[in-house]
């Protein structure tokens, strides 16, 4: 079981490394290199626009790879999604800038970001099902937390490379070629990930379905027809997590460096520390979920985010590293309180025959609502002088919406088996 979980975590780490490398580059350099001749604000908005295309592609990827996962098995999804994302990411590192090829440069970025999104849209569903469908019921959330740790590892790896380059290269070197190195490194990581996943076996739940000829003919059509309400609720419920994560790890980098004048390495260091704390706390949250249920943890996370967004923005506005770090860490712990349980929660909401499609599409639709929109909305809301309280209001509003959706979803934690009668004494008269 540990080998399966480790392979699942490594794969999500590599694929989300690819996704986050682009997000960091969008916040720091892409506006200047691919959208010159505009104001810094417009350039940042344009770079975040290409960033958002990846989120728009993710539900399409979840539909494509969800169909593969529900028809052909979970294992093919893990191989093909990793290959697609890795190739697209390496290609980003070779795209000429606007100065070299003009408008074709941002168009190529859009295309490659779209392909990245397709691959990542299939990754999460396959990786989570690999663990949940092998795990014992009473520890399902714990084992499902391993692929949930993967995005944190991917973020730390991508930004560690960027931070090292930023600290050791001159500004001219970083803008010339340094920003490309994290994308080139994705090729090596993808090869390692494919090696790790090559020997994985298919999950018991899918083998049982295929042996019994119970596979869904058109999984997406079945999900939309029979589970549309569940799909919308899961997308709404998870949107707050994307909003908080990308507000901390993407929008804040651009705001801190461009508006507050904070050094790039300081902003990256604060965001990385907060993500590391979140990754370390994920297994603990998963254990609590196995003991007390999925929904209570999710509701607690939403409530914590709602209460913390205004303090977060105030601490960010201070420009002081220690206060920004505090704001980021608490925000990521609030986010993680819910998302540490999601790896088990979403698959348990859908029946096995459409589980890969249903859970992946719900998860990635939330990415459009929370991830694609947040950097754009936050950047626009922070245009004026003074503290951007509008950003805090937006994030709190998304968290309240998610809380309402969680309240409408059922609890799914498996009921513990009753102890044998001999161990409990005689039945009452």
């Amino acid at each position: 079981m540990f080998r399966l979980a480790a392979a699942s975590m490594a794969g999500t780490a590599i694929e989300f490394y690819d996704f986050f490398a682009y997000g960091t580059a969008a916040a720091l350099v892409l506006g200047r290199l691919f959208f010159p001749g505009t104001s810094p604000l417009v350039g940042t908005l344009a770079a975040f626009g290409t960033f958002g295309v990846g989120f728009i592609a993710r539900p399409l990827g979840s539909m494509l790879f969800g169909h593969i996962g529900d028809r052909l098995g979970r294992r093919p999804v893990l191989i093909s999604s990793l290959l697609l994302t890795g190739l697209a990411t390496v290609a980003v590192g070779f795209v000429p800038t606007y100065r070299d090829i003009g408008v074709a440069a941002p168009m190529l970025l859009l295309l490659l970001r779209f392909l990245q999104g397709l691959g990542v849209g299939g990754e999460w569903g396959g990786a989570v099902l690999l663990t949940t469908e092998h795990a014992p019921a009473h520890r399902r959330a714990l084992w499902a937390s391993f692929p949930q740790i993967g995005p944190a590892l991917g973020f730390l790896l991508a930004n560690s490379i960027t931070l090292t380059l930023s600290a050791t290269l001159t500004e001219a070197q970083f803008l010339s070629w340094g920003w490309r190195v994290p994308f080139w490194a994705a090729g090596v990581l993808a090869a390692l990930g494919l090696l790790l996943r090559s020997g994985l076996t298919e999950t018991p739940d899918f083998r049982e379905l295929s042996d019994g000829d119970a596979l869904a003919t058109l999984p997406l059509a079945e999900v939309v027809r029979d589970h549309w309400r569940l799909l919308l609720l899961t997308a709404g419920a998870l949107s707050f997590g994307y909003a908080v994560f990308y507000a901390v790890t993407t929008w804040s980098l651009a705001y801190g460096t461009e508006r507050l004048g904070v050094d790039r390495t300081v902003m990256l260091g604060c965001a990385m520390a907060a993500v590391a704390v979140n990754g370390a706390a994920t297994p603990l949250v998963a254990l609590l979920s196995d003991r007390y249920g999925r929904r209570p943890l999710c509701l607690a996370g939403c409530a914590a985010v709602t209460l913390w967004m205004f303090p977060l923005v105030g601490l960010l506005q201070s420009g002081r590293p220690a206060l920004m770090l505090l704001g980021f860490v608490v925000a990521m712990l609030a986010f993680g309180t819910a998302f540490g349980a999601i790896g088990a929660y979403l698959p348990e909401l859908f029946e096995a025959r459409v589980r890969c499609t249903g859970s992946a599409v719900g998860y990635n639709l939330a990415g459009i609502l929370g991830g694609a929109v947040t950097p754009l909305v936050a950047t626009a809301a922070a245009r004026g002088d003074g503290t951007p309280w509008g950003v805090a209001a937006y994030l709190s509003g998304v968290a309240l919406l998610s809380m309402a959706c969680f309240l409408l979803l059922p609890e799914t934690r498996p009921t513990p088996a009753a102890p044998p009668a001999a161990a409990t004494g005689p039945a009452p008269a």
Side-chain angles (χ1 to χ4, degrees):
M1 189 65 215
F2 182 79
R3 179 177 174 272
L4 289 170
S8 177
M9 180 177 66
T12 54
I14 292 167
E15 289 219 37
F16 279 88
Y17 164 91
D18 298 345
F19 209 69
F20 293 142
Y22 191 99
T24 302
L28 297 178
V29 300
L30 295 188
R32 284 180 280 175
L33 295 176
F34 289 86
F35 304 95
T38 63
S39 69
L41 173 62
V42 173
T44 299
L45 284 170
F48 281 152
T50 62
F51 175 75
V53 166
F55 286 97
I56 295 171
R58 281 174 64 165
L60 299 177
S62 65
M63 295 173 193
L64 170 64
F65 289 105
H67 183 88
I68 295 172
D70 286 326
R71 290 291 302 165
L72 303 178
R74 322 310 192 197
R75 185 177 177 274
V77 173
L78 298 171
I79 303 298
S80 54
S81 64
L82 180 57
L83 184 62
L84 175 60
T85 309
L87 290 174
T89 304
V90 173
V92 170
F94 291 97
V95 175
T97 63
Y98 187 94
R99 185 183 63 181
D100 298 317
I101 59 173
V103 72
M107 296 302 292
L108 283 172
L109 275 188
L110 281 171
L111 173 61
L112 294 173
R113 182 60 174 172
F114 183 84
L115 294 176
Q116 268 192 332
L118 284 181
V120 172
E123 165 64 25
W124 187 86
V128 167
L129 294 194
L130 178 69
T131 52
T132 56
E133 293 187 345
H134 275 99
H138 72 290
R139 285 290 179 264
R140 190 174 292 149
L142 175 62
W143 289 112
S145 71
F146 277 74
Q148 289 293 85
I149 298 172
L153 294 177
F155 178 86
L156 292 173
L157 182 58
N159 285 278
S160 292
I161 296 175
T162 303
L163 183 62
T164 301
L165 292 166
S166 178
T168 57
L169 299 178
T170 65
E171 182 75 7
Q173 289 172 326
F174 187 78
L175 289 174
S176 174
W177 57 268
W179 69 271
R180 299 179 183 273
V181 173
F183 296 98
W184 296 336
V188 178
L189 296 174
L192 292 174
L194 290 171
L195 182 64
L196 279 173
R197 289 184 165 183
S198 60
L200 296 177
T201 59
E202 191 51 78
T203 68
D205 287 19
F206 183 80
R207 290 200 302 267
E208 183 178 337
L209 284 173
S210 56
D211 291 343
D213 197 26
L215 298 175
T217 304
L218 293 171
L220 179 61
E222 191 169 321
V223 167
V224 173
R225 183 186 68 239
D226 300 333
H227 306 288
W228 62 269
R229 182 177 178 271
L230 183 58
L231 199 62
L232 293 177
L233 286 175
T234 54
L238 299 184
S239 60
F240 89 100
Y242 282 95
V244 173
F245 189 92
Y246 287 101
V248 169
T249 62
T250 301
W251 169 75
S252 68
L253 294 183
Y255 184 81
T257 55
E258 295 175 7
R259 291 287 301 277
L260 302 179
V262 180
D263 185 76
R264 181 170 57 215
T265 58
V266 172
M267 293 303 303
L268 282 171
C270 290
M272 289 170 62
V275 172
V277 171
N278 170 66
T282 296
L284 174 60
V285 172
L287 282 171
L288 293 173
S289 171
D290 277 328
R291 183 175 179 85
Y292 298 108
R294 321 304 189 206
R295 201 171 66 153
L297 273 296
C298 293
L299 291 172
C302 287
V305 166
T306 302
L307 296 173
W308 186 248
M309 290 304 95
F310 282 89
L312 167 66
V313 169
L315 293 170
L316 172 63
Q317 185 67 24
S318 74
R320 298 171 61 183
L323 295 181
M324 291 191 297
L325 177 61
L326 173 63
F328 290 172
V329 167
V330 176
M332 293 304 296
L333 285 175
F335 148 80
T337 300
F339 268 60
I342 290 301
Y345 195 15
L346 255 66
E348 289 171 346
L349 287 168
F350 293 91
E351 57 183 310
R353 58 187 278 116
V354 295
R355 184 173 292 151
C356 194
T357 299
S359 57
V361 171
Y363 185 85
N364 287 292
L365 280 176
I368 295 180
L369 298 175
V373 175
T374 293
L376 292 168
V377 171
T379 300
R383 284 183 299 177
D385 296 329
T387 305
W389 297 119
V391 177
Y394 166 74
L395 295 173
S396 294
V398 174
L400 288 173
L401 171 65
S402 293
M403 184 182 296
C405 292
F406 276 122
L407 287 170
L408 295 172
L409 288 170
E411 177 57 68
T412 62
R413 181 176 66 98
T415 304
T424 58

